[in-house]
Amino acid sequence: MPKNNSTAMRALVVAGATALSTLALGVSGASASSHTCTYDNACLYENAELEGMYLDSNSSLAMWSLSRYAGQPDTYGKSPYMGDGVKTNASSLDNWDIDSVIGVFYNSSYRGPCFTVGAYKRAMNFKSVTLSGGGGVANDRMNSHQFNNAC
């Protein structure tokens, strides 16, 4: 087979494979960002409804800005908190710890207005979560979380 035909055939095979994989994703409804939280962990997600980049954590985190979403480099990667109003701030939490509540705090070091996510419960959209002490809503403003600390 001449080189031109071989190149054309490869391009056709690649295009077909891409179309099939796209069709398969569309039919299944699967999302590239779907993640199931690990048992006994808490997972933070950048978007509401447990979607987008995630951080799967088995311990309290005093400063979300020092953590990185899965797959993000330690330096200059996206963290669950990078400043008020930043789109990539955590917007939902899934608590897969069956015997621990999780306090989610406005300030680092588990301080300030907060809200609690019960054992094996979810906060699907921080926009609809009211903070303690008249602190407003939680969306794109939270900085830390602590296992076994109800606020």
Side-chain angles (χ1 to χ4, degrees), residues 26-119:
V27 171
S28 71
S31 169
S33 62
S34 293
H35 171 75
T36 300
C37 195
T38 305
Y39 177 77
D40 253 1
N41 285 7
C43 290
L44 296 165
Y45 293 85
E46 73 164 322
N47 297 326
E49 307 301 320
L50 312 177
E51 289 293 328
M53 292 184 291
Y54 64 90
L55 171 66
D56 198 329
S57 171
N58 63 0
S59 61
S60 301
L61 294 174
M63 293 179 68
W64 287 357
S65 62
L66 298 179
S67 302
R68 297 290 175 260
Y69 286 119
Q72 295 294 308
D74 287 340
T75 317
Y76 305 113
K78 292 183 169 89
S79 72
Y81 183 80
M82 294 179 74
D84 284 340
V86 175
K87 248 183 163 176
T88 56
N89 290 355
S91 292
S92 56
L93 183 141
D94 197 5
N95 180 4
W96 275 56
D97 191 321
I98 62 169
D99 56 7
S100 296
V101 298
I102 295 176
V104 182
F105 296 85
Y106 179 84
N107 294 318
S108 58
S109 300
Y110 323 118
R111 296 177 297 112
C114 59
F115 67 94
T116 302
V117 178

Side-chain angles (χ1 to χ4, degrees), residues 1 3 5 7 18 42 67 72 105 107:
M1 187 181 262
K3 187 172 184 173
N5 286 342
T7 303
T18 302
S67 302
Q72 295 294 308
F105 296 85
N107 294 318

